[in-house]
Amino acid sequence: MLRVRCLRGGSRGAEAAHYIGSRLRGAFTGWVQRTFQSTQAAAASQNTCAADDKAASPAPKDCPVCSYNEWDPLEEVIVGRAENACVPPFSVEVKANTYEKYWGFYQKFGGQGFPKDHLKKAIAEIEEMCNILKGEGVIVKRPDPIDWSVKYKTPDFESTGMYGAMPRDILLVVGNEIIEAPMAWRARFFEYRAYRRLIKDYFNSGAKWTTAPKPTMADELYDQNYPIHSVEDRHKLAAQGKFVTTEFEPCFDAADFIRAGRDIFVQRSQVTNYMGIEWMRRHLAPDYRVHIISFKDPNPMHIDATFNIIGPGLVLSNPDRPCHQIELFKKAGWTVIQPPVPLIPDDHPLWMSSKWLSMNVLMLDEKRVMVDANETSIQKMFEKLGISTVKVNIRHANSLGGGFHCWTCDIRRRGTLQSYLG
């Protein structure tokens, strides 16, 4: 909703401005959606394998950055840090992405550190995860520790930071290019600073480095009156395609995208808008095809605990959040697997996520997966698929909002660019 701070003409002038602004906003949002849909339709009407006709430039052999999908043999990875992690202030975009039972936690501790004992255990778990990755032959890099409690102010807002725990949220590797996502939470505005040393090193070694347009995160980016009071409200709003982020400017989190060679899938979510998706589509064209998919999800934020591609033509699809376009994958010959119900106890705090982090796994290659040591049901599922499990306990790290896929960003996988959708 367009917000009118000061306008000549009194209440009638304000009402007129509000009316005009809402009409313009509606027209603009519709334009964005129509533009994206028409560009997808135009691409589809041509040769669907047009991207294959023009091969993408191969990554230089000595470039340390090269990854096209989620399952090729993993050689180098960034693993996040829980050190100094802070609870984000309870702003409208945080409220829209968190569950009601934790709102009191955010109101009480926003801007302060997460509970010290819990954080200490999370840090120890991630250190052990790094050691296990190294034991599996993977090079591990870490972001810089930063004091996230420092207050900052821009011309449009003020906030404290959050953490450098989830590199998957902010970094997307496509081929030999690292794309820095603009993000959508004000508490994550300066999160890129934790990764800049690493990215500069990769750039100096031959990688491409792109930073998406940085949003102002002004009030207009958010529906300040986003009406959520219950789970029912969330379902209703999601069904109507209404989100807390508007189309005021591009925004997206990298974790709303998931890669399968030339095809990259994305969802419109609470943190990723159509303008952000369209920016990515234009940026990656013509070598890559960006497809919007959607789910029956009352609180869409990050795709990888809903739809996680774990191999060529093999995807984990959350049974609680069915994909509306699942026939697209079945017609292409993909195997769609519904993972078992998570085993995480009801009393375990999950301040920023759901229990479905059990399916937020990290593939070390097509036949090895890093999975939670406590989730025996999904371990058995992988074993039946002929995939060996590397078991790690990150229960306390889960509380900060991520599983193995979230806590990592694969920098280099040994493989080539291919098409898997037909």
Side-chain angles (χ1 to χ4, degrees), residues 352-387:
M352 295 186 176
S353 57
S354 75
K355 291 184 178 183
W356 284 104
L357 289 178
S358 59
M359 63 175 283
N360 187 257
V361 296
L362 177 69
M363 302 304 295
L364 304 185
D365 55 42
E366 287 185 43
K367 296 298 181 181
R368 289 182 301 159
V369 61
M370 182 165 277
V371 64
D372 195 285
N374 304 285
E375 293 289 341
T376 54
S377 296
I378 202 168
Q379 291 169 24
K380 293 176 182 177
M381 182 204 76
F382 281 117
E383 289 163 5
K384 288 180 180 178
L385 292 170
I387 299 172

Side-chain angles (χ1 to χ4, degrees), residues 30 107 111 121 132 198 201 205 209 226 240 320 326 347:
Q107 290 169 325
K121 292 175 181 176
I132 292 173
L198 292 175
D201 287 345
S205 298
W209 172 17
Y226 192 67
Q240 294 171 346
D320 281 357
I326 200 63
D347 60 354

